[in-house]
Amino acid sequence: CNIFNSRSLKSKTLNFCLFFSKFSLNLRTKSVKYEIISTILIENSLIIIEYNLHMLIQKFSLEELECGSIKDTFLKFNDFKKLSVEEMLNDIEETNHKTERRLIQEVNELFQSVNNDSQELKNISNKFKSMTADLLNHFDKEEKEVFPLMRQQSFDFSIMAKITELENEHLKQQDQQTIIGQLINLFIENQIVTPDIQNTFDKINELFADISEHLEKEEVICFSKYEG
């Protein structure tokens, strides 16, 4: 059973998972985690973008996987699959877009309040602002241009061209997130991480995790369903 959607071939890199690389994993542990997650996916007839699989392997501990706490994440995708395309688009706007806009604002406020004027932290903050400015523009394009067309029309090649543009922007977002993750890891290795800085990094982690879910819902489920 192939647990991956063909869209996963469009992913240029698996480096998105580097944001979580501070959790060192040996090869055997990774293999066990892969088997557990793959089994859950197959049992629930679910598919997942490949870079999200690697993110989940990094994010969840072996204990969490063995006790089944990850199943709620997959069951949420399963419920999402049952929606119509219009309902999916509404869900993405009302949940992921709103959540990510809120988290972006919270992270920017945290950066402003952090008592640390190091160049390394400023660089992370600047990269984050640049990435999220692109992300907010991406949301506007989806909500004002592409999603309304998808609601109004069935499959159309001109709309599919716009969807392809969105997917290309997703790839750019993944690359930007990878860079930010690498900068954060370097900061953790070489600087003193105070509680307020750790809180900021944790909030970025939360944002990236929601973006990961967001992409899963759009690319693997919603856009595929629209294509029919």
Side-chain angles (χ1 to χ4, degrees):
C1 178
N2 183 4
I3 63 173
F4 301 124
N5 184 276
S6 61
R7 292 179 180 277
S8 66
L9 298 176
K10 300 179 70 175
S11 180
K12 296 184 297 184
T13 177
L14 296 180
N15 286 340
F16 177 72
C17 65
L18 285 174
F19 180 73
F20 305 96
S21 64
K22 60 182 179 178
F23 304 104
S24 60
L25 300 169
N26 61 47
L27 214 50
R28 188 167 182 275
T29 301
K30 284 184 178 179
S31 177
V32 173
K33 287 186 171 189
Y34 181 91
E35 290 178 10
I36 293 173
I37 293 174
S38 298
T39 299
I40 295 172
L41 288 168
I42 293 169
E43 286 176 349
N44 292 278
S45 302
L46 296 172
I47 51 178
I48 189 168
I49 298 175
E50 190 171 354
Y51 56 75
N52 282 356
L53 174 76
H54 286 259
M55 181 275 291
L56 290 169
I57 289 173
Q58 295 285 344
K59 182 179 179 183
F60 286 88
S61 70
L62 187 56
E63 291 75 18
E64 288 173 324
L65 292 176
E66 288 176 336
C67 76
S69 61
I70 196 174
K71 288 186 179 179
D72 290 340
T73 300
F74 294 134
L75 290 176
K76 181 162 54 176
F77 287 144
N78 215 16
D79 290 339
F80 185 79
K81 287 172 62 178
K82 299 174 184 177
L83 302 176
S84 67
V85 169
E86 182 171 1
E87 289 170 333
M88 289 178 180
L89 297 175
N90 293 340
D91 178 271
I92 290 167
E93 289 182 353
E94 291 299 315
T95 56
N96 301 103
H97 284 192
K98 284 189 175 180
T99 297
E100 288 158 30
R101 284 187 171 107
R102 172 181 58 79
L103 290 170
I104 289 168
Q105 181 178 347
E106 290 178 4
V107 171
N108 285 326
E109 290 173 352
L110 286 169
F111 272 124
Q112 291 177 355
S113 64
V114 167
N115 186 21
N116 185 309
D117 59 357
S118 70
Q119 187 57 48
E120 291 82 0
L121 195 63
K122 288 180 181 177
N123 192 22
I124 295 171
S125 176
N126 290 337
K127 293 288 186 184
F128 181 83
K129 288 177 182 176
S130 175
M131 183 211 82
T132 52
D134 290 342
L135 184 61
L136 293 174
N137 288 333
H138 178 83
F139 291 169
D140 287 342
K141 181 187 292 187
E142 288 182 334
E143 294 174 1
K144 298 177 181 178
E145 182 180 348
V146 183
F147 287 3
L149 290 173
M150 292 176 67
R151 290 185 178 101
Q152 293 169 10
Q153 300 180 38
S154 56
F155 179 84
D156 182 273
F157 284 108
S158 63
I159 298 176
M160 283 308 305
K162 294 181 182 296
I163 289 175
T164 299
E165 289 179 11
L166 294 179
E167 291 174 331
N168 289 335
E169 290 177 7
H170 290 167
L171 293 176
K172 180 182 176 182
Q173 285 289 322
Q174 293 164 34
D175 289 342
Q176 290 174 314
Q177 290 170 43
T178 298
I179 292 170
I180 292 171
Q182 291 169 336
L183 291 173
I184 289 175
N185 286 330
L186 285 173
F187 187 94
I188 291 172
E189 291 173 4
N190 300 301
Q191 304 288 331
I192 296 174
V193 181
T194 57
D196 55 348
I197 294 175
Q198 186 61 57
N199 187 31
T200 305
F201 291 167
D202 288 345
K203 192 65 68 173
I204 293 175
N205 185 342
E206 185 180 349
L207 171 65
F208 285 6
D210 199 86
I211 291 173
S212 176
E213 175 189 297
H214 179 174
L215 294 183
E216 194 77 40
K217 289 160 74 173
E218 279 189 0
E219 292 196 13
V220 174
I221 305 175
C222 183
F223 293 165
S224 295
K225 189 165 188 172
Y226 176 76
E227 290 178 15

